[in-house]
Amino acid sequence: MWDQIKEFASEFFVTGDPLIYGADVSIVLTMLAILFVLTYYKKWGWLWSEWITSVDHKKIGIMYIIASILMLFRGGVDALLMRAQLVMPDMQFLQADHYNQIFTTHGVIMILFMAMPLMFGLFNVIVPLQLGARDVAFPFLNALSFWLFFAGAMLFNLSFVIGGSPDAGWLAYPPYSEKAFNPGVGQDFYVWGIQISGIGSLMTGINFIVTILKMRAPGMSLMKMPMFSWSVLSSCIAIIFAFPILTVTLALLFMDRFAGTHFFTLDGGGNPMMYINLIWMWGHPEVYIIVLPAFGIFSEVVATFSKKKLFGYKSMVFAMIIISVLSFLVWAHHFFTMGSGADVNAFFALTTMLIAIPTGVKVFNWLFTMFRGKITFETPMLWTIGIIPNFVIGGMTGVLLSVAPADFQYHNSYFLIAHFHQVIIAGVVFGFFAGLYYWWPKVFGFKLNERIGRWAFWLWNIGFYLCFMPQYALGLMGMTRRVYTYGWDKGWFEMNLVSTIGAVIMGIAFLVQIWDIAHSIKHMKRDTTGDPWNARTLEWSIPSPAPLYNFATLPQVTSQDDWWERKLRKEAGQEARTAETLEPIHMPKNSGIPFIMSMFWFLAGFGFVFDWLWLIIPGLIGVAVSMIVHSCNYDTDYYISVEEIERTEAVIGKVNN
């Protein structure tokens, strides 16, 4: 009996690596600390009623942001481990299989479990406020989207200590990801972690399209909508077309592994190239899904801190929609070297070059917005200005990669690694940092410390250039992706050393940001104006942080940048104050079903990973029962009375409109 238990434990838990043992200890200690704090301060009821069961879009957004910061830490540690292995030739810090697992999990976590939730967090906390709405279109679905993401992320991250991490690359190409070459459960953790999370992402896309199209304030036509909301709309349009492709692709891969089908195996009549086409039909739109909201953030920040209306508003709108469409017509440039043929390569080279045009339009719009503006250099503006040279370099190297003959040299090299990170870190992550610093006072009621924020900005940028500029040269010198060691004869040592130093500096920059948050929570003064940046859009017309119902009375929009125009009219004495007539506000009730349903999905996913029918069946039954219970529940909403609204407004202090 005891021998059977030991044999099961040795197969179930990851063993044999001191790094894994260290992670086991840290996970256990962290969980015990959380349990102790919640129990000691009697916060279990508060956690359940205020957060776990909440359908308030602002709280859901905060939970997304917290989760993304935790995933940034995990993905960043993976990156530092890889750079430690590559800092010198012939390093033995990581073994080959462990290195494969780390670069696989790094890519998945950074794209799907860090960038996506950070983006969704900003969607949630800002879009309804910009639109003058009181919530998203489907609050219950919004909560379910978050908890499905959370369940998928936790399932994927469990593979680090249970069963073993996936190791076939972050896009899991066959045949490496097929059962014959990858018999462990790591790839099944990959499939189900992403699959469950992806369902939540698709729900979010649907939710915000309906919210933007149907819940704008009276008078806010589409062409009066803030640019960030436009970027969210274009991103969500791409989501609803791209993520079903990912769902089907992973389902087919799982059928190959679980049921012995041969969709992607040559010996059974399948074709691994079909997988590569499908995964990139999702994968390249995914890049634009996460970068389009960053474009919207830059547009909002530039206009606010230049004290000018955004230059070329209509051209920005059309550029975003064009990017959203063209993003589905460029996927084959990821495998120019795989023998698609001259005609196919020429078509996708052309579409890849074309998509650079609307992307370049935005850079010029931002520059012309700043031209002759009264620019101030607060932290959000620093991030925005810092991204422009970064993104230009990333765009130029992308155009180089779009040239099919040249791509035969660049492909599969560190040149591509540098380009990808130039766009994703300097375009997406820095953009979301700009958004966090910009909207932080609206979400939490106080600014982040400017001095510490500037330190973080410069450390991130210096570290980024040191880390990734040498990698362009390494790629041209012949260093390919996925190598875990190299010899002294290659001549790659100096560049790799500089690159690793840059990665360490970025890690320090992240810690400085955490310090900034902790310091600001303790020391920064609360914002009593609701508009600390003298901004332009509706979210700044209400107190910070926003009350549960957002707007006591729905605003009447008359122009683009309506809040800015209203302030100008007030200064000129042209804004006639009208008495506000308060009415009861219709709001959704909290629900524990999204959390419970996602936990059943987690159990079912865990069962599929280990092929345990005794866990799969109750998990799926629990999902079905949760859906039925919700369908039969008609007590889903309530009204906030006028008296309660008046009390709330008196406490938070009404911002003069």
Side-chain angles (χ1 to χ4, degrees):
M1 179 67 178
W2 179 243
D3 290 336
Q4 290 178 329
I5 293 174
K6 287 197 295 183
E7 182 180 354
F8 170 78
S10 65
E11 294 176 357
F12 186 70
F13 295 103
V14 178
T15 58
D17 192 317
L19 291 174
I20 303 296
Y21 293 141
D24 291 338
V25 172
S26 64
I27 290 170
V28 170
L29 291 177
T30 301
M31 291 180 65
L32 289 175
I34 293 171
L35 293 173
F36 172 78
V37 169
L38 290 172
T39 304
Y40 183 81
Y41 291 102
K42 300 178 181 178
K43 291 294 184 180
W44 287 104
W46 166 83
L47 181 66
W48 175 261
S49 61
E50 293 295 324
W51 294 95
I52 292 177
T53 63
S54 177
V55 296
D56 180 7
H57 69 95
K58 298 179 289 296
K59 289 184 177 179
I60 291 171
I62 291 170
M63 289 191 288
Y64 267 123
I65 291 170
I66 292 172
S68 70
I69 292 173
L70 293 174
M71 291 297 101
L72 179 58
F73 173 77
R74 163 73 203 276
V77 169
D78 283 345
L80 289 173
L81 290 174
M82 285 189 289
R83 290 313 318 167
Q85 169 64 21
L86 295 172
V87 66
M88 292 180 65
D90 301 323
M91 284 288 288
Q92 299 298 318
F93 178 63
L94 298 173
Q95 297 303 311
D97 57 344
H98 194 183
Y99 185 87
N100 289 344
Q101 293 174 5
I102 286 175
F103 83 69
T104 298
T105 56
H106 168 75
V108 174
I109 286 172
M110 286 303 207
I111 296 295
L112 292 169
F113 299 134
M114 187 280 290
M116 289 291 284
L118 187 51
M119 176 181 80
F120 288 155
L122 293 173
F123 284 14
N124 270 278
V125 296
I126 299 305
V127 170
L129 301 182
Q130 282 200 335
L131 299 178
R134 291 195 170 114
D135 210 317
V136 296
F138 307 114
F140 177 91
L141 194 68
N142 198 31
L144 181 59
S145 299
F146 169 75
W147 288 112
L148 284 174
F149 150 75
F150 183 82
M154 292 301 100
L155 184 62
F156 182 87
N157 277 275
L158 267 184
S159 66
F160 184 55
V161 294
I162 295 176
S165 296
D167 59 2
W170 79 278
L171 289 177
Y173 285 179
Y176 305 120
S177 55
E178 292 284 354
K179 200 76 171 180
F181 295 95
N182 212 315
V185 297
Q187 287 307 125
D188 300 308
F189 272 115
Y190 173 97
V191 168
W192 283 100
I194 297 175
Q195 196 76 294
I196 294 170
S197 176
I199 296 170
S201 298
L202 181 59
M203 290 177 178
T204 299
I206 296 169
N207 206 345
F208 278 89
I209 287 176
V210 178
T211 300
I212 291 169
L213 294 182
K214 291 294 185 181
M215 298 190 68
R216 302 188 306 277
M220 183 182 284
S221 65
L222 284 173
M223 297 311 290
K224 293 177 184 174
M225 198 163 66
M227 191 52 62
F228 179 66
S229 294
W230 262 113
S231 71
V232 172
L233 178 61
S234 57
S235 178
C236 289
I237 290 171
I239 285 174
I240 65 170
F241 287 104
F243 269 81
I245 301 173
L246 177 65
T247 300
V248 171
T249 305
L250 293 180
L252 296 177
L253 178 62
F254 184 71
M255 290 299 292
D256 274 10
R257 294 181 58 83
F258 183 75
T261 59
H262 294 280
F263 291 107
F264 307 126
T265 55
L266 287 171
D267 59 347
N271 189 346
M273 279 304 299
M274 182 169 72
Y275 179 93
I276 295 172
N277 274 281
L278 287 171
I279 202 70
W280 280 115
M281 286 171 68
W282 161 79
H284 204 86
E286 166 66 9
V287 173
Y288 290 100
I289 284 168
I290 58 178
V291 81
L292 281 168
F295 291 162
I297 292 168
F298 298 140
S299 301
E300 300 287 353
V301 171
V302 164
T304 294
F305 294 103
S306 298
K307 305 295 186 292
K308 281 179 63 182
K309 190 180 291 290
L310 182 67
F311 179 88
Y313 175 91
K314 290 184 179 179
S315 67
M316 290 283 277
V317 170
F318 292 131
M320 285 186 179
I321 298 301
I322 290 169
I323 290 172
S324 186
V325 173
L326 283 179
S327 68
F328 287 89
L329 301 175
V330 299
W331 81 86
H333 71 217
H334 289 276
F335 40 94
F336 277 151
T337 63
M338 294 186 185
S340 299
D343 293 339
V344 172
N345 283 358
F347 174 82
F348 284 97
L350 181 61
T351 55
T352 305
M353 294 175 195
L354 285 175
I355 205 169
I357 297 172
T359 306
V361 164
K362 300 183 179 311
V363 175
F364 287 104
N365 283 30
W366 300 326
L367 292 174
F368 284 127
T369 302
M370 288 187 278
F371 181 64
R372 293 183 177 175
K374 298 178 181 177
I375 303 175
T376 54
F377 294 97
E378 284 85 351
T379 310
M381 189 63 170
L382 284 179
W383 283 106
T384 300
I385 293 174
I387 182 268
I388 293 177
N390 266 310
F391 201 77
V392 168
I393 295 170
M396 290 170 61
T397 53
V399 173
L400 289 174
L401 288 163
S402 74
V403 180
D407 188 64
F408 276 75
Q409 170 66 34
Y410 306 136
H411 190 80
N412 208 38
S413 75
Y414 259 72
F415 187 96
L416 179 59
I417 296 290
H419 157 74
F420 185 76
H421 286 83
Q422 188 97 44
V423 174
I424 297 301
I425 294 182
V428 176
V429 179
F430 286 6
F432 292 161
F433 285 167
L436 278 178
Y437 280 93
Y438 181 58
W439 282 305
W440 190 276
K442 178 52 57 184
V443 179
F444 296 103
F446 59 90
K447 289 183 181 180
L448 291 173
N449 183 277
E450 280 287 315
R451 182 176 60 84
I452 303 175
R454 289 171 187 271
W455 271 101
F457 167 79
W458 286 111
L459 286 170
W460 265 109
N461 276 269
I462 292 168
F464 176 84
Y465 280 107
L466 281 176
C467 184
F468 293 105
M469 290 299 116
Q471 292 183 14
Y472 286 113
L474 284 168
L476 296 177
M477 293 164 66
M479 185 171 177
T480 58
R481 293 187 289 170
R482 306 182 183 96
V483 297
Y484 85 102
T485 190
Y486 55 93
W488 285 98
D489 59 321
K490 298 293 186 181
W492 300 340
F493 163 59
E494 293 82 0
M495 293 293 184
N496 273 300
L497 175 62
V498 173
S499 184
T500 300
I501 291 171
V504 171
I505 293 174
M506 285 194 287
I508 295 170
F510 173 77
L511 296 178
V512 171
Q513 286 180 308
I514 300 302
W515 173 36
D516 192 1
I517 293 171
H519 178 275
S520 299
I521 290 172
K522 184 175 182 180
H523 297 290
M524 294 300 286
K525 294 181 180 178
R526 296 201 66 80
D527 169 45
T528 59
T529 67
D531 185 15
W533 306 121
N534 191 21
R536 310 180 72 84
T537 45
L538 284 179
E539 71 269 28
W540 303 104
S541 67
I542 58 177
S544 301
L548 175 64
Y549 47 78
N550 296 345
F551 297 87
T553 57
L554 294 180
Q556 179 70 43
V557 175
T558 59
S559 61
Q560 182 191 337
D561 290 348
D562 189 74
W563 173 236
W564 179 262
E565 298 295 334
R566 210 185 310 173
K567 289 188 289 187
L568 293 180
R569 290 195 298 270
K570 183 179 178 182
E571 289 177 7
Q574 299 171 355
E575 179 79 357
R577 287 191 63 83
T578 57
E580 294 180 340
T581 303
L582 296 177
E583 296 178 352
I585 296 175
H586 179 252
M587 296 295 291
K589 283 186 176 179
N590 286 358
S591 174
I593 294 177
F595 175 76
I596 294 169
M597 188 190 301
S598 68
M599 292 302 101
F600 279 121
W601 268 114
F602 178 89
L603 292 178
F606 199 84
F608 275 118
V609 167
F610 286 97
D611 195 12
W612 291 344
L613 282 176
W614 60 268
L615 196 57
I616 296 170
I617 293 172
L620 294 179
I621 290 173
V623 171
V625 170
S626 299
M627 295 172 69
I628 293 169
V629 169
H630 176 64
S631 298
C632 296
N633 178 25
Y634 296 97
D635 184 22
T636 59
D637 51 8
Y638 70 103
Y639 283 88
I640 300 177
S641 67
V642 172
E643 292 77 13
E644 187 175 346
I645 298 169
E646 289 175 339
R647 286 196 301 270
T648 303
E649 293 293 302
V651 170
I652 62 179
K654 180 64 178 168
V655 174
N656 292 326
N657 291 335

